[in-house]
Amino acid sequence: MRYDPDDRQFIFNTEKHMDMSGVSTLLSEKKQRLREEQRNHPEKKGTPIWASVLVVIGFIVGVAVAAQSGHPSAAICMFGGMFVFMGFVMIPKTRASRERSFAAHIVIGVMAILLGLSVSVPILLTDKLGSDRAFAMLGAGMFASGGLLFLVYSLFRIYSTSNRNGIPVEGRCIGYAHMIVNQRNGPHVESSEVFEYDYAGEHYESVNEAFRSEPDAEIGETVTMRLNPRIPSEVFYSAPRKGRNTGNFVMAAFFALFVVFGTVLGVLALNGRIGTGVPGQNTNADGKYVFTDEAIEEKIGDHETPWEISLINVAEKYEEDGVYYLRFSSDIPQSTDKDKWDQFEVNDAYYIVRNTATGKLIAVLNEKEWDYQGSHPLSDLREP
């Protein structure tokens, strides 16, 4: 990363070690100074971030409104869309901005997009997948994309502390960069060297990409770094030390398991192996239970019995001399017992599944509560 004394993320000085309170205080003073300079010199102002902030606030308000108004699917999609938007914002758009950014920032942006898509896409496909499979795939995607994020970050750490990558170049340490890193175990200071060097006839001052708790090089010391020829301002240096990457390798292996688990979970969900316990039965975006050919054949008990499915409505129901009659669509009235008669409502539509060989009724399901998503021909016999 090219050295920029006005970078708001870092404190640059010749002190090799700094505690968190000192870095925090100096960062606050630096940001205040830069804000004052921007007010005094408007031409130096960078791209305003207020538009991005307003968009994120819009997403948050949209999520809250959708959830409050009884549209959880829309709320979840907007929540995922917020991550997609933030991911695109994080990715540098120009070569100059890429030179000022860590490669890790680019990776985090891409991973944020994947995380957002893993949330939104299954919900958008709920009608086809069913809610159980959609939410299983949502969880699988979050597991896999989150694991991939930390796996890539671990591999980046391994790469950034390795002396086997890039082009060797001699650099002299002229100072240090300090920043505050927030992790689950609390914030702490990480530091890195600032090197000056020459490459391809140009003089560079760049920050070592390998940040860690303690820099290796001393002020004025000349070391052999590794340089990225595509971005000459990107250099890596880490003094050889046995076992330095043990923790990073362990972290990479751990999060690789997340990726594997999330991938397996996603494949099982996509194939319908994860659901309510009844093959092919989930719920769609309207809250209806989904039933499929597999669910019907499971109810029948084999895959050989021929069956047919039709959609009819109750045109009429009445009682005459103690006998209860139902008339479906254009059929003639037929008698039934009182318990079944009570279950049907006039003008409601019902799925009727019959054994085509015997005519035996296999299932009757109210279309208000159920949604058929199978490959059998569905005969629509409802009266207009």
Side-chain angles (χ1 to χ4, degrees), residues 98-150:
R98 285 194 295 271
E99 288 187 2
R100 292 193 300 269
S101 301
F102 289 116
H105 289 180
I106 301 174
V107 171
I108 291 173
V110 172
M111 293 302 111
I113 293 172
L114 291 178
L115 182 62
L117 292 176
S118 71
V119 172
S120 299
V121 172
I123 299 303
L124 293 173
L125 297 177
T126 298
D127 286 339
K128 293 185 177 181
L129 298 173
S131 63
D132 287 358
R133 280 202 294 170
F135 278 99
M137 292 189 66
L138 185 154
M142 293 186 69
F143 249 101
S145 57
L148 186 61
L149 167 61
F150 288 103

Coordinates of all heavy atoms in Angstrom, one line a residue, residues 98-150:
R98 N -7.0 1.1 -5.6 CA -6.6 -0.2 -5.3 C -5.2 -0.2 -4.7 O -4.8 -1.0 -3.9 CB -6.6 -1.1 -6.6 CG -8.0 -1.5 -7.0 CD -7.9 -2.7 -8.0 NE -7.3 -2.3 -9.2 CZ -8.0 -1.8 -10.3 NH1 -9.3 -1.6 -10.1 NH2 -7.4 -1.4 -11.4
E99 N -4.3 0.7 -5.2 CA -3.0 0.8 -4.7 C -3.0 1.3 -3.3 O -2.1 1.0 -2.5 CB -2.1 1.8 -5.6 CG -1.8 1.2 -6.9 CD -0.8 2.0 -7.7 OE1 -0.4 3.1 -7.2 OE2 -0.4 1.7 -8.8
R100 N -4.0 2.1 -2.9 CA -4.1 2.6 -1.5 C -4.8 1.6 -0.6 O -4.8 1.8 0.6 CB -4.8 4.0 -1.5 CG -4.1 5.1 -2.2 CD -4.8 6.4 -1.8 NE -6.2 6.4 -2.2 CZ -6.6 6.9 -3.4 NH1 -5.7 7.4 -4.3 NH2 -7.9 7.0 -3.7
S101 N -5.3 0.6 -1.1 CA -6.1 -0.4 -0.3 C -5.4 -1.7 -0.1 O -4.5 -2.0 -0.9 CB -7.5 -0.7 -1.0 OG -8.2 0.5 -1.2
F102 N -5.7 -2.3 1.0 CA -5.2 -3.6 1.2 C -5.9 -4.6 0.3 O -7.1 -4.4 -0.1 CB -5.5 -4.1 2.6 CG -4.6 -3.4 3.7 CD1 -5.2 -2.6 4.6 CD2 -3.3 -3.6 3.6 CE1 -4.5 -2.0 5.6 CE2 -2.5 -2.9 4.6 CZ -3.1 -2.1 5.5
A103 N -5.2 -5.6 -0.2 CA -5.9 -6.7 -0.9 C -7.0 -7.3 -0.1 O -8.1 -7.7 -0.6 CB -4.9 -7.8 -1.4
A104 N -6.8 -7.3 1.2 CA -7.8 -7.9 2.1 C -9.1 -7.1 2.0 O -10.2 -7.7 2.2 CB -7.3 -7.9 3.6
H105 N -9.1 -5.8 1.8 CA -10.3 -5.0 1.7 C -11.1 -5.4 0.5 O -12.3 -5.4 0.5 CB -9.9 -3.5 1.6 CG -9.4 -2.9 2.9 ND1 -9.0 -1.6 3.0 CD2 -9.1 -3.5 4.1 CE1 -8.5 -1.4 4.2 NE2 -8.6 -2.5 4.9
I106 N -10.4 -5.7 -0.6 CA -11.1 -6.1 -1.8 C -11.8 -7.5 -1.5 O -12.9 -7.7 -1.9 CB -10.1 -6.3 -3.0 CG1 -9.4 -4.9 -3.2 CG2 -10.8 -6.8 -4.2 CD1 -8.3 -5.0 -4.3
V107 N -11.1 -8.4 -0.9 CA -11.6 -9.7 -0.6 C -12.8 -9.5 0.3 O -13.9 -10.2 0.1 CB -10.5 -10.6 0.1 CG1 -11.2 -11.9 0.7 CG2 -9.4 -10.9 -0.8
I108 N -12.8 -8.7 1.3 CA -13.9 -8.5 2.2 C -15.1 -8.0 1.5 O -16.2 -8.4 1.7 CB -13.5 -7.5 3.4 CG1 -12.5 -8.2 4.3 CG2 -14.7 -7.1 4.2 CD1 -11.9 -7.3 5.4
G109 N -14.9 -7.1 0.5 CA -16.0 -6.5 -0.3 C -16.7 -7.6 -1.1 O -17.9 -7.7 -1.1
V110 N -15.8 -8.5 -1.7 CA -16.4 -9.6 -2.5 C -17.2 -10.6 -1.6 O -18.3 -11.0 -1.9 CB -15.3 -10.4 -3.2 CG1 -15.8 -11.6 -3.9 CG2 -14.7 -9.4 -4.3
M111 N -16.6 -10.8 -0.4 CA -17.2 -11.8 0.5 C -18.6 -11.2 1.1 O -19.5 -11.9 1.3 CB -16.3 -12.1 1.7 CG -15.1 -12.9 1.3 SD -15.5 -14.5 0.6 CE -14.9 -14.2 -1.1
A112 N -18.6 -9.9 1.3 CA -19.8 -9.2 1.7 C -20.9 -9.4 0.6 O -22.1 -9.6 1.0 CB -19.6 -7.7 2.0
I113 N -20.5 -9.3 -0.6 CA -21.5 -9.5 -1.7 C -22.0 -10.9 -1.7 O -23.2 -11.2 -1.8 CB -20.9 -9.2 -3.1 CG1 -20.5 -7.7 -3.2 CG2 -21.8 -9.6 -4.2 CD1 -19.7 -7.3 -4.4
L114 N -21.1 -11.9 -1.5 CA -21.5 -13.3 -1.5 C -22.5 -13.5 -0.3 O -23.4 -14.3 -0.4 CB -20.3 -14.2 -1.4 CG -19.4 -14.3 -2.7 CD1 -18.2 -15.2 -2.4 CD2 -20.2 -14.8 -3.9
L115 N -22.1 -12.9 0.8 CA -23.0 -13.1 2.0 C -24.4 -12.5 1.8 O -25.4 -13.2 2.1 CB -22.3 -12.4 3.2 CG -23.0 -12.5 4.6 CD1 -23.1 -14.0 5.0 CD2 -22.3 -11.7 5.6
G116 N -24.4 -11.4 1.2 CA -25.7 -10.8 0.9 C -26.5 -11.6 -0.1 O -27.7 -11.8 0.1
L117 N -25.9 -12.1 -1.1 CA -26.6 -13.0 -2.1 C -27.0 -14.3 -1.5 O -28.1 -14.8 -1.8 CB -25.6 -13.3 -3.3 CG -25.3 -12.1 -4.2 CD1 -24.3 -12.5 -5.3 CD2 -26.6 -11.5 -4.8
S118 N -26.2 -14.8 -0.5 CA -26.6 -16.1 0.1 C -27.9 -15.9 1.0 O -28.6 -16.8 1.3 CB -25.5 -16.6 1.0 OG -25.3 -15.8 2.2
V119 N -28.1 -14.6 1.4 CA -29.3 -14.3 2.2 C -30.5 -14.1 1.3 O -31.6 -14.6 1.5 CB -29.1 -13.1 3.1 CG1 -30.4 -12.6 3.7 CG2 -28.1 -13.4 4.2
S120 N -30.3 -13.2 0.2 CA -31.4 -12.8 -0.6 C -31.9 -13.8 -1.6 O -33.1 -14.0 -1.8 CB -31.0 -11.5 -1.4 OG -30.7 -10.5 -0.4
V121 N -31.0 -14.5 -2.3 CA -31.4 -15.4 -3.4 C -32.3 -16.5 -2.9 O -33.3 -16.8 -3.6 CB -30.1 -15.9 -4.1 CG1 -30.5 -17.0 -5.1 CG2 -29.4 -14.8 -4.8
P122 N -32.0 -17.2 -1.8 CA -32.9 -18.3 -1.4 C -34.3 -17.8 -1.1 O -35.3 -18.5 -1.4 CB -32.3 -18.9 -0.2 CG -30.8 -18.6 -0.3 CD -30.8 -17.2 -1.0
I123 N -34.4 -16.6 -0.5 CA -35.7 -16.0 -0.2 C -36.5 -15.7 -1.5 O -37.7 -15.9 -1.6 CB -35.6 -14.8 0.7 CG1 -34.9 -15.2 2.0 CG2 -36.9 -14.1 0.9 CD1 -35.6 -16.2 2.8
L124 N -35.8 -15.1 -2.5 CA -36.4 -14.8 -3.8 C -36.9 -16.1 -4.5 O -37.8 -16.0 -5.3 CB -35.4 -14.1 -4.7 CG -35.0 -12.7 -4.2 CD1 -33.9 -12.1 -5.1 CD2 -36.2 -11.7 -4.2
L125 N -36.3 -17.2 -4.2 CA -36.7 -18.5 -4.8 C -37.6 -19.3 -3.9 O -37.7 -20.5 -4.2 CB -35.4 -19.3 -5.2 CG -34.5 -18.6 -6.2 CD1 -33.3 -19.5 -6.4 CD2 -35.2 -18.4 -7.5
T126 N -38.1 -18.7 -2.9 CA -39.0 -19.5 -1.9 C -40.1 -20.2 -2.6 O -40.5 -21.3 -2.2 CB -39.5 -18.5 -0.8 OG1 -38.4 -18.0 -0.1 CG2 -40.4 -19.3 0.2
D127 N -40.7 -19.5 -3.6 CA -41.9 -20.2 -4.3 C -41.5 -21.5 -4.9 O -42.3 -22.4 -5.0 CB -42.5 -19.2 -5.3 CG -43.3 -18.1 -4.7 OD1 -43.7 -18.2 -3.5 OD2 -43.4 -17.0 -5.3
K128 N -40.3 -21.5 -5.4 CA -39.8 -22.8 -6.1 C -39.2 -23.8 -5.1 O -39.4 -25.0 -5.3 CB -38.8 -22.4 -7.2 CG -39.4 -21.7 -8.4 CD -38.3 -21.5 -9.5 CE -39.0 -20.8 -10.7 NZ -38.0 -20.6 -11.7
L129 N -38.6 -23.2 -4.1 CA -37.9 -24.1 -3.2 C -38.7 -24.5 -2.0 O -38.5 -25.6 -1.4 CB -36.6 -23.4 -2.6 CG -35.5 -23.0 -3.6 CD1 -34.4 -22.2 -2.9 CD2 -34.9 -24.3 -4.3
G130 N -39.7 -23.7 -1.6 CA -40.4 -23.9 -0.3 C -39.6 -23.3 0.8 O -38.4 -23.1 0.7
S131 N -40.3 -22.8 1.8 CA -39.6 -22.0 2.9 C -38.6 -22.8 3.6 O -37.5 -22.3 4.0 CB -40.7 -21.5 3.8 OG -41.3 -22.5 4.5
D132 N -38.8 -24.1 3.9 CA -37.9 -24.9 4.7 C -36.6 -25.0 3.9 O -35.5 -24.8 4.5 CB -38.4 -26.3 5.0 CG -39.5 -26.2 6.0 OD1 -39.8 -25.1 6.5 OD2 -40.1 -27.3 6.3
R133 N -36.7 -25.4 2.6 CA -35.4 -25.5 1.8 C -34.8 -24.2 1.6 O -33.5 -24.1 1.6 CB -35.7 -26.2 0.5 CG -35.9 -27.7 0.6 CD -35.7 -28.3 -0.8 NE -36.7 -28.0 -1.7 CZ -36.6 -28.2 -3.0 NH1 -35.6 -28.8 -3.5 NH2 -37.6 -27.9 -3.8
A134 N -35.6 -23.1 1.4 CA -35.0 -21.8 1.2 C -34.2 -21.3 2.5 O -33.1 -20.8 2.3 CB -36.1 -20.8 0.9
F135 N -34.8 -21.5 3.7 CA -34.1 -21.1 4.9 C -32.9 -22.0 5.2 O -31.9 -21.5 5.7 CB -35.1 -21.0 6.0 CG -35.9 -19.8 6.1 CD1 -37.2 -19.7 5.6 CD2 -35.3 -18.6 6.6 CE1 -37.9 -18.6 5.7 CE2 -36.0 -17.4 6.7 CZ -37.3 -17.4 6.2
A136 N -33.0 -23.3 4.8 CA -31.9 -24.2 4.9 C -30.7 -23.7 4.0 O -29.5 -23.7 4.4 CB -32.2 -25.6 4.6
M137 N -31.1 -23.3 2.8 CA -30.0 -22.8 1.9 C -29.5 -21.5 2.3 O -28.3 -21.2 2.1 CB -30.6 -22.7 0.5 CG -30.9 -24.1 -0.1 SD -31.3 -24.0 -1.9 CE -29.8 -23.4 -2.6
L138 N -30.4 -20.6 2.9 CA -29.9 -19.4 3.5 C -28.8 -19.6 4.5 O -27.8 -19.0 4.5 CB -31.1 -18.6 4.1 CG -30.8 -17.2 4.6 CD1 -32.1 -16.4 4.5 CD2 -30.3 -17.2 6.0
G139 N -29.1 -20.5 5.5 CA -28.2 -20.9 6.5 C -26.9 -21.4 5.9 O -25.8 -21.1 6.4
A140 N -27.1 -22.3 4.9 CA -25.9 -22.9 4.3 C -25.0 -21.9 3.6 O -23.8 -21.9 3.7 CB -26.4 -24.0 3.3
G141 N -25.7 -20.9 2.9 CA -24.9 -19.9 2.2 C -24.2 -19.0 3.2 O -23.0 -18.6 3.0
M142 N -24.8 -18.7 4.3 CA -24.1 -17.8 5.3 C -23.0 -18.6 6.0 O -21.9 -18.0 6.2 CB -25.1 -17.4 6.4 CG -26.2 -16.5 5.9 SD -27.3 -15.8 7.2 CE -26.1 -14.8 8.1
F143 N -23.2 -19.9 6.2 CA -22.0 -20.7 6.8 C -20.9 -20.7 5.8 O -19.7 -20.4 6.1 CB -22.5 -22.1 7.0 CG -22.6 -22.5 8.5 CD1 -23.8 -22.5 9.1 CD2 -21.5 -22.8 9.2 CE1 -23.9 -22.8 10.5 CE2 -21.5 -23.1 10.5 CZ -22.8 -23.1 11.2
A144 N -21.2 -21.0 4.5 CA -20.2 -21.2 3.5 C -19.5 -19.8 3.2 O -18.2 -19.8 3.1 CB -20.7 -21.8 2.2
S145 N -20.3 -18.7 3.0 CA -19.7 -17.5 2.6 C -18.9 -16.9 3.8 O -17.8 -16.3 3.7 CB -20.7 -16.5 2.1 OG -21.7 -16.3 3.1
G146 N -19.5 -17.0 5.1 CA -18.7 -16.5 6.2 C -17.4 -17.3 6.4 O -16.4 -16.7 6.7
G147 N -17.5 -18.6 6.3 CA -16.3 -19.4 6.4 C -15.3 -19.1 5.3 O -14.1 -19.1 5.6
L148 N -15.8 -18.9 4.1 CA -14.9 -18.5 3.0 C -14.2 -17.2 3.3 O -13.0 -17.0 2.9 CB -15.7 -18.5 1.7 CG -14.9 -18.2 0.4 CD1 -13.9 -19.4 0.2 CD2 -15.8 -18.1 -0.8
L149 N -15.0 -16.2 3.8 CA -14.4 -14.9 4.2 C -13.2 -15.1 5.1 O -12.1 -14.6 4.8 CB -15.4 -14.0 4.8 CG -14.9 -12.8 5.5 CD1 -14.2 -11.9 4.5 CD2 -16.1 -12.1 6.2
F150 N -13.4 -15.8 6.2 CA -12.3 -16.0 7.1 C -11.2 -16.9 6.6 O -10.0 -16.8 7.0 CB -12.8 -16.5 8.5 CG -13.6 -15.4 9.2 CD1 -14.9 -15.5 9.3 CD2 -12.9 -14.4 9.9 CE1 -15.7 -14.5 9.9 CE2 -13.6 -13.4 10.5 CZ -15.0 -13.4 10.6

